[in-house]
Amino acid sequence: MKKILLFGQDKEQNQVFSEWLKGEKYQIVTTENFEQVFPFLSLKKYDVLIVDIDFPEIMEHILDLCRRLKKDQKFSEIPITVVAYKKNNKLIASAIEAGVDNFILKPFETKSFLNRLDTIFEHIELKSKGKKILDLNFISYLINLTGEANREDFFELFPVIFNRLIIDKVMGIIGKPIIVIMLKRLGDIIGEDYKFVKEVRFENGKIFLDKVDKVSQEVPVEKLVIAFRDYLHGFLQIVLTLTSNILMDRK
Amino acid sequence: MKNTKVTSNIIKYLDEDRLEYLNIRGKPLTKNIKKTNQELQRKLDELSLLYESSKEISYTLDYQELVSIIMDSLYKVVDYQVCASLLFGEEEGKLNIRATHPVSELFIQEVKSKLLESVTYITGRNFFIEEKLSMRIERKGKVQSEEGEHKEKVRSFFNVPLTFQDKLVGMINVSSLKENAFSDDDIRIIYAMANQASMAIERLMTIISTEKSKMEAMVRSMVEGVIMIDTQGEVVIMNPAAKKLLGFNPDKQVTSQQLAQSFQELREDKLFNKETHFTEEEVSKEIYFTKPKPGILYTARSLVKNTKGEKLGLVMTIRDITAEKKVDRMKTEFISTVSHELRTPLSITREGISLVLDKIPGKINKKQDKILSMAKNNIDRLARIISSLLDISKIESGKVELKRGLVNIKRLIEQVASSFEPKTKEKGLELKISLPQEEIEAYAEDDKIIEVFINLLGNALKFTEKGYIEVSAKELENEIECTVKDTGIGLATDDLPRVFGKFQQFGRVDSEGEKGTGLGLSISKGIVEAHHGKIWVESTLGRGSKFIFTLPKYTTCKELFYACINNGIQKAIKMNSKMSLITVAVFELDQLKKKLSQHILDSTLKDIEEMLRNNNCRTGDVVVNKNNQNIVLLNNCDQKNVLKVEGRIKKTLDGYLKDRNLTSKIKLGFGSATYPDDGLYAEKLFNKASKGLM
């Protein structure tokens, strides 16, 4: 039985979650007070921590908590799943930066919520076997989200997705020099159709899009999203050819 | 009851909770310690492995070798079934697959395609079809059953890139039959190793390139031309001065073909060629060129070797010595003119004194006689010096034209030695001659070689009071070596380098014989060098001296002819004229030996040679004879004229044979060729001229 700790300020919603997760598969503990999350985790071992983050007044505190947990050796292994509203791009970006492992994006129905949770547990399982998982489906989903967003949001969100959800995960395995080469190659291929991707800068293990922003002022955001989706997919495709130790979940 | 139950439940619950709490708080601690220990151990392993491999890596710059080192090191830490590498340069890829366990062909194919796929994705070069790929497979046994074959699959793999300067230069693949065969730690070690290898190479390359750029800057700024080629014949270094001297654009790269062609145009293609000249240590040579304007280059070439003595290539320095040579020639010409002008008044003076001494104008007293005799002797000496000076200036200006032919060195030595015998006997010295059994033949001018022997023997006689003088000759592998040795006063080591200089006289003793001019050895050196030979001296003060000179040896008929023809070509180049050659051969000599008596045959062959010599159109033309074939070299003679000469020779010889009733027995073959029309090289010219004779 999987033990889940769920935090959310909305008591009613917490009850809804508890109802959904009732059964033999999961054991759920809920709390409305985010200050209790830490003591709860210290007392008992949980398989996953689910945090509903959509509460503007305490949002920053919650993100702080996530950062603290990820930095603390005792808790860093506990996967954190964040529940957030899908249009809240800035929040998603900060959560990714804070190091959370998974997302469940609102609005959702029972079934999609449970499916998502299943996937998350599957990933946790595989991770414990030493595989790196790239949640491709979710990454694509996020990228598509950026398409609905404005230009500013895109340039904020895309580097975070690429850096934290992809590069950070594969860097340890495939090394920096090859990433440099791969990015250059992608710049060459994708750059044939979309010149601006050649301006992607790679420094200190991160990509920066500031130059792309400068040269692509005239380019509509939809086109940017298409180009960078190809860019990202191309990158993942090359990663796939490099090792069997990185898995891509396309579900 | 109920309460106690609750309490116990609570206690139980608390206990459980506390236990769990302890578990949670405690477990991570022990786990952490364990983990830290493991981490430390792993880091240590990693470090020692990295150190080991980096030590090996820093000694090598060769990627192929590097990959081998990495594969070997990997085997120590990672459990893999197949390790493969693909290295690629501009032109082709090298695929190396090494299986450490018996695996199926299918498995190997899968490894190959995984590796190629990855490289193709990253580089955009398709190694499946488009690119050249060489493959090497090392394997241990093979899976036998077919069922086994199909079961085998690459279940775990990773590809490790090798990079250099942000470019992919190769890829190493490690594959396993097992699921999840490689842990993160394995991968980290392998990547760390590959990265370190790449970095080590990059560092070394940087060091090398800075060193190289320093060196290049130095070479570039040199006034002398410098060229280096490697053992493959590729041009490694060629500075602007060299490019300029050889007529290339100084700003452009020169390929090995262009360089070879340039030397070919100078007719010195053998001078800087990977095939012919990786044997000799050092060679220097003067090259005459006509483009863009006539001049002379001094080239010195030597082998480049590393500390282990392995050959790395050839380096050549080139200097334009046209101006120096011009000054030198002016000097020589000046000496020549002056000597010439001195001769006439001198001979008139001598004639006058002789008349007085012969008492034709009237009587003279004894005192006058003595004074005049002394004057006459010194005039004679002066005349000798002048004539030697003339000789030397002729040799130095290259005006002396050797009338070369086949010379029997043994006979020549005996002849010279016999002329010295009376004088050596007079001085109480022994004259030894040591010669081998077999004949020694040299291609040389006999008078000149005799002059060398006379000079050397004269010196030996002059400086030796007791003991012996020994003349000897022998054939070495590539040359003929002649030696004149004495047991005289010898030379001081300090004087040795100056022995062959002009007007150098050492340890002079007042002897009764004529006084030396101080030019003998200088002349000898000129003569020997004109024959493409070398001369040197070995001596110990007080013990005696040994003068040695060499002449080139031509073992086969062809070698001899080529040498003659080359000689003619050189002259033609210098004079900017044409040159032709005629070959005259006697057919079927072996048959003739049976038909004719040895005496008739010999005299006929000798006559033919003589007639060729005598009926030549001009002096300066050369006739060389060997076996049954003669070559006539005609200076300044074009294709039209050579046919005329050939016709004339044919007519004369036919007439001669007819007179002696030999027309039916001896068949003569004729042929001709002209430089440069028929070819630029001896071989080509000779082949053309002897077409139909062989």
Side-chain angles (χ1 to χ4, degrees):
Chain A
M1 196 183 267
K2 308 279 182 201
K3 285 180 190 163
I4 301 171
L5 177 64
L6 184 138
F7 159 79
Q9 257 192 337
D10 190 335
K11 201 169 179 181
E12 274 173 39
Q13 195 187 282
N14 287 358
Q15 271 168 359
V16 173
F17 283 139
S18 300
E19 198 64 33
W20 284 354
L21 294 170
K22 226 161 62 183
E24 285 166 13
K25 242 169 143 184
Y26 307 110
Q27 184 190 4
I28 181 162
V29 176
T30 64
T31 172
E32 286 88 50
N33 185 353
F34 83 90
E35 279 167 1
Q36 280 185 348
V37 172
F38 215 80
F40 262 112
L41 288 173
S42 309
L43 270 171
K44 222 171 171 185
K45 191 177 180 293
Y46 290 93
D47 293 300
V48 70
L49 167 67
I50 301 179
V51 186
D52 190 337
I53 208 170
D54 257 332
F55 307 103
E57 61 276 20
I58 54 158
M59 205 156 67
E60 271 312 310
H61 296 291
I62 302 172
L63 287 174
D64 262 350
L65 176 76
C66 292
R67 277 184 213 113
R68 253 171 67 206
L69 286 172
K70 280 292 156 194
K71 269 183 200 151
D72 193 322
Q73 247 195 348
K74 291 195 289 284
F75 304 111
S76 65
E77 307 254 309
I78 298 176
I80 304 174
T81 297
V82 161
V83 179
Y85 184 56
K86 73 171 183 183
K87 293 256 162 109
N88 203 340
N89 286 320
K90 280 217 166 96
L91 181 60
I92 293 169
S94 341
I96 295 173
E97 284 281 25
V100 305
D101 299 84
N102 287 293
F103 286 85
I104 302 179
L105 296 180
K106 287 196 265 187
F108 46 71
E109 292 162 18
T110 327
K111 210 179 160 195
S112 64
F113 176 80
L114 290 176
N115 279 348
R116 183 70 195 143
L117 208 59
D118 277 345
T119 313
I120 289 169
F121 276 110
E122 246 173 67
H123 290 177
I124 292 167
E125 173 84 21
L126 283 166
K127 221 173 152 186
S128 69
K129 280 185 185 163
K131 300 261 185 189
K132 293 268 183 237
I133 316 288
L134 295 178
D135 192 345
L136 209 58
N137 190 39
F138 184 67
I139 291 169
S140 306
Y141 180 71
L142 285 179
I143 299 286
N144 284 339
L145 272 188
T146 62
E148 295 165 20
N150 57 28
R151 220 186 136 79
E152 203 186 315
D153 277 1
F154 171 79
F155 279 108
E156 191 166 341
L157 194 54
F158 185 82
V160 174
I161 296 171
F162 202 85
N163 290 330
R164 302 308 297 260
L165 296 185
I166 300 178
I167 294 193
D168 279 2
K169 292 207 174 158
V170 299
M171 179 92 101
I173 302 183
I174 65 174
K176 203 162 141 191
I178 190 66
I179 291 182
V180 173
I181 293 171
M182 282 159 67
L183 292 180
K184 196 174 166 288
R185 166 92 176 127
L186 286 171
D188 289 345
I189 305 173
I190 313 279
E192 269 181 35
D193 295 326
Y194 310 98
K195 263 195 177 155
F196 49 83
V197 299
K198 286 188 183 227
E199 302 298 325
V200 174
R201 209 152 54 80
F202 184 69
E203 266 167 38
N204 300 324
K206 282 183 185 148
I207 62 158
F208 293 92
L209 298 188
D210 51 340
K211 281 189 180 169
V212 178
D213 192 6
K214 248 181 226 163
V215 299
S216 66
Q217 291 297 331
E218 309 286 306
V219 182
V221 69
E222 295 79 31
K223 208 172 166 189
L224 281 173
V225 173
I226 295 172
F228 278 98
R229 195 173 50 207
D230 286 356
Y231 192 80
L232 187 140
H233 281 211
F235 187 87
L236 293 174
Q237 212 159 10
I238 298 177
V239 168
L240 264 186
T241 69
L242 284 174
T243 173
S244 56
N245 277 41
I246 297 174
L247 289 183
M248 309 235 174
D249 187 354
R250 290 200 163 92
K251 270 190 296 194
Chain B
M1 268 300 272
K2 205 180 175 186
N3 270 347
T4 31
K5 201 181 172 188
V6 170
T7 326
S8 73
N9 265 349
I10 291 170
I11 291 168
K12 206 174 145 197
Y13 178 75
L14 275 176
D15 271 352
E16 235 176 39
D17 228 23
R18 191 175 281 165
L19 267 176
E20 203 165 350
Y21 175 78
L22 281 174
N23 254 348
I24 294 167
R25 300 294 288 183
K27 246 187 195 162
L29 277 177
T30 45
K31 210 176 140 196
N32 273 345
I33 294 170
K34 238 183 181 174
K35 212 176 140 191
T36 319
N37 272 342
Q38 280 173 353
E39 187 114 340
L40 267 174
Q41 188 55 45
R42 208 197 60 232
K43 285 264 183 234
L44 273 176
D45 289 349
E46 209 170 300
L47 267 177
S48 67
L49 196 73
L50 281 178
Y51 174 71
E52 216 174 283
S53 59
S54 72
K55 218 169 59 186
E56 285 177 79
I57 286 165
S58 46
Y59 287 120
T60 169
L61 269 181
D62 183 355
Y63 264 104
Q64 194 80 45
E65 227 174 286
L66 191 73
V67 168
S68 249
I69 293 172
I70 292 178
M71 280 180 166
D72 289 344
S73 308
L74 277 186
Y75 192 56
K76 291 177 199 158
V77 275
V78 182
D79 180 28
Y80 63 74
Q81 264 86 52
V82 170
C83 187
S85 69
L86 174 64
L87 291 175
F88 44 92
E90 296 281 308
E91 273 148 28
E92 61 155 14
K94 278 184 190 151
L95 182 67
N96 194 347
I97 299 177
R98 190 191 288 181
T100 56
H101 302 275
V103 286
S104 67
E105 187 59 40
L106 271 176
F107 189 84
I108 287 190
Q109 286 306 323
E110 202 182 343
V111 168
K112 180 184 160 191
S113 75
K114 286 240 187 282
L115 189 53
L116 294 190
E117 185 189 29
S118 195
V119 171
T120 305
Y121 262 113
I122 295 175
T123 59
R125 289 169 63 177
N126 191 339
F127 281 94
F128 286 101
I129 359 174
E130 288 154 22
E131 306 270 346
K132 246 171 87 183
L133 192 68
S134 66
M135 197 154 75
R136 207 180 70 177
I137 300 177
E138 296 166 48
R139 59 196 307 176
K140 272 190 184 163
K142 202 178 166 184
V143 169
Q144 292 302 327
S145 73
E146 229 173 79
E147 199 194 337
E149 274 204 17
H150 290 292
K151 268 188 191 163
E152 287 202 329
K153 263 184 116 173
V154 176
R155 292 201 173 82
S156 305
F157 77 94
F158 57 91
N159 292 322
V160 193
L162 287 171
T163 60
F164 173 59
Q165 279 176 356
D166 289 352
K167 257 171 131 183
L168 193 69
V169 292
M171 187 87 97
I172 297 177
N173 169 290
V174 181
S175 296
S176 174
L177 290 159
K178 289 177 219 149
E179 201 87 55
N180 298 326
F182 311 115
S183 68
D184 272 10
D185 292 344
D186 288 345
I187 298 182
R188 277 235 312 284
I189 289 183
I190 295 159
Y191 272 91
M193 256 161 65
N195 282 346
Q196 195 168 17
S198 299
M199 261 150 54
I201 289 210
E202 210 151 318
R203 265 200 307 274
L204 272 173
M205 288 288 192
T206 330
I207 294 169
I208 287 173
S209 76
T210 49
E211 285 302 312
K212 210 177 153 193
S213 65
K214 272 190 220 163
M215 190 72 181
E216 269 172 4
M218 199 186 83
V219 170
R220 196 174 308 128
S221 54
M222 276 172 73
V223 185
E224 274 99 3
V226 177
I227 309 173
M228 185 182 161
I229 60 169
D230 62 15
T231 47
Q232 305 300 309
E234 292 300 321
V235 180
V236 186
I237 296 169
M238 185 160 179
N239 69 352
K243 289 179 190 169
K244 231 165 132 187
L245 286 172
L246 293 175
F248 292 107
N249 183 342
D251 302 323
K252 281 191 183 155
Q253 281 280 351
V254 175
T255 64
S256 52
Q257 284 96 334
Q258 285 172 318
L259 187 67
Q261 201 186 342
S262 152
F263 275 101
Q264 211 164 47
E265 276 164 21
L266 291 169
R267 290 161 208 90
E268 297 289 350
D269 53 324
K270 280 186 181 158
L271 196 64
F272 210 48
N273 182 313
K274 59 171 174 156
E275 277 110 29
T276 45
H277 282 285
F278 268 98
T279 46
E280 293 160 65
E281 294 280 322
E282 269 182 67
V283 175
S284 58
K285 197 168 183 182
E286 286 170 13
I287 306 178
Y288 293 84
F289 62 93
T290 47
K291 272 192 299 185
K293 52 183 185 179
I296 307 163
L297 295 178
Y298 176 80
T299 62
R301 192 197 73 211
S302 54
L303 277 179
V304 182
K305 288 179 180 174
N306 64 9
T307 44
K308 286 181 206 157
E310 293 158 358
K311 287 169 196 165
L312 300 179
L314 282 177
V315 69
M316 179 188 255
T317 55
I318 309 174
R319 200 151 52 93
D320 189 342
I321 52 163
T322 316
E324 290 164 45
K325 276 275 159 181
K326 205 172 158 192
V327 172
D328 212 41
R329 201 170 51 239
M330 275 162 63
K331 194 184 77 195
T332 318
E333 271 165 13
F334 172 75
I335 294 174
S336 155
T337 324
V338 169
S339 326
H340 214 81
E341 296 303 315
L342 283 174
R343 260 184 172 176
T344 326
L346 206 61
S347 66
I348 296 168
T349 316
R350 187 187 184 276
E351 205 51 40
I353 293 173
S354 288
L355 281 173
V356 178
L357 274 172
D358 288 345
K359 300 177 186 96
I360 289 163
K363 270 190 179 168
I364 49 169
N365 61 29
K366 259 198 176 161
K367 226 174 184 173
Q368 285 169 331
D369 187 291
K370 204 179 163 190
I371 291 166
L372 284 173
S373 294
M374 204 169 74
K376 192 184 155 209
N377 278 342
N378 277 296
I379 284 170
D380 283 344
R381 189 170 155 234
L382 193 56
R384 277 203 310 280
I385 292 176
I386 288 169
S387 103
S388 294
L389 267 178
L390 263 175
D391 280 352
I392 215 161
S393 66
K394 257 191 215 158
I395 290 168
E396 283 187 348
S397 66
K399 270 182 195 156
V400 65
E401 281 189 1
L402 297 173
K403 296 181 192 71
R404 293 207 262 190
L406 281 185
V407 177
N408 187 327
I409 295 289
K410 265 172 78 175
R411 208 180 302 153
L412 185 140
I413 287 178
E414 277 158 3
Q415 198 184 316
V416 178
S418 67
S419 71
F420 270 84
E421 223 159 53
K423 287 181 194 158
T424 43
K425 256 189 193 152
E426 209 175 284
K427 245 183 145 177
L429 297 170
E430 189 189 347
L431 184 62
K432 293 184 191 173
I433 300 170
S434 115
L435 296 167
Q437 282 278 299
E438 56 284 348
E439 295 294 324
I440 303 174
E441 272 190 333
Y443 173 57
E445 183 178 335
D446 47 2
D447 287 346
K448 291 283 189 285
I449 301 300
I450 289 173
E451 199 179 333
V452 175
F453 274 114
I454 289 176
N455 277 327
L456 296 181
L457 277 167
N459 278 342
L461 186 67
K462 202 181 291 171
F463 298 111
T464 309
E465 292 308 319
K466 58 180 179 185
Y468 64 89
I469 296 169
E470 185 181 357
V471 199
S472 61
K474 64 181 173 204
E475 274 191 309
L476 302 179
E477 199 181 337
N478 293 313
E479 54 213 2
I480 299 159
E481 191 184 274
C482 304
T483 316
V484 176
K485 191 180 158 198
D486 65 51
T487 52
I489 57 169
L491 287 152
T493 323
D494 288 351
D495 291 334
L496 288 180
R498 291 186 290 138
V499 165
F500 295 102
K502 272 178 244 177
F503 301 109
Q504 298 292 343
Q505 288 179 322
F506 305 95
R508 277 192 62 180
V509 275
D510 288 323
S511 59
E512 290 154 33
E514 40 183 55
K515 279 174 187 159
T517 58
L519 287 168
L521 286 177
S522 185
I523 290 171
S524 302
K525 184 172 189 259
I527 292 173
V528 171
E529 282 175 358
H531 281 90
H532 306 296
K534 274 182 255 171
I535 185 165
W536 69 96
V537 61
E538 292 162 9
S539 179
T540 322
L541 196 63
R543 291 252 185 94
S545 311
K546 188 175 168 189
F547 282 85
I548 305 136
F549 72 92
T550 62
L551 293 171
K553 187 172 96 174
Y554 302 99
T555 38
T556 67
C557 201
K558 259 191 190 164
E559 260 178 41
L560 173 67
F561 287 146
Y562 288 174
C564 304
I565 297 169
N566 270 329
N567 215 12
I569 292 175
Q570 289 296 330
K571 260 187 225 162
I573 293 167
K574 248 187 243 180
M575 285 158 53
N576 208 5
S577 67
K578 297 197 172 193
M579 192 273 304
S580 294
L581 61 118
I582 298 173
T583 59
V584 180
V586 179
F587 281 128
E588 290 166 351
L589 198 69
D590 292 338
Q591 297 285 320
L592 282 176
K593 277 178 188 160
K594 287 175 199 158
K595 280 190 224 162
L596 296 168
S597 74
Q598 186 71 35
H599 172 73
I600 296 179
L601 187 61
D602 280 352
S603 72
T604 311
L605 290 178
K606 190 88 203 146
D607 283 347
I608 291 174
E609 194 191 336
E610 273 309 302
M611 285 168 77
L612 285 175
R613 262 188 224 290
N614 299 333
N615 292 341
N616 255 344
C617 41
R618 294 154 307 174
T619 53
D621 293 343
V622 181
V623 178
V624 191
N625 167 284
K626 177 105 184 173
N627 294 347
N628 60 334
Q629 199 164 4
N630 294 281
I631 287 193
V632 185
L633 293 172
L634 306 159
N635 286 328
N636 203 3
C637 175
D638 62 16
Q639 271 169 313
K640 224 158 124 192
N641 284 324
V642 75
L643 289 176
K644 279 189 205 161
V645 180
E646 191 185 331
R648 200 165 65 216
I649 291 175
K650 200 168 178 234
K651 209 171 152 192
T652 323
L653 291 179
D654 282 348
Y656 162 82
L657 290 177
K658 209 175 169 187
D659 286 348
R660 301 194 64 181
N661 277 332
L662 287 167
T663 318
S664 57
K665 286 173 187 148
I666 296 183
K667 288 273 176 285
L668 292 176
F670 297 88
S672 66
T674 304
Y675 167 89
D677 308 66
D678 293 322
L680 295 177
Y681 305 106
E683 191 178 349
K684 209 165 176 197
L685 291 172
F686 179 72
N687 285 344
K688 203 245 163 192
S690 37
K691 217 187 221 171
L693 302 185
M694 292 299 169

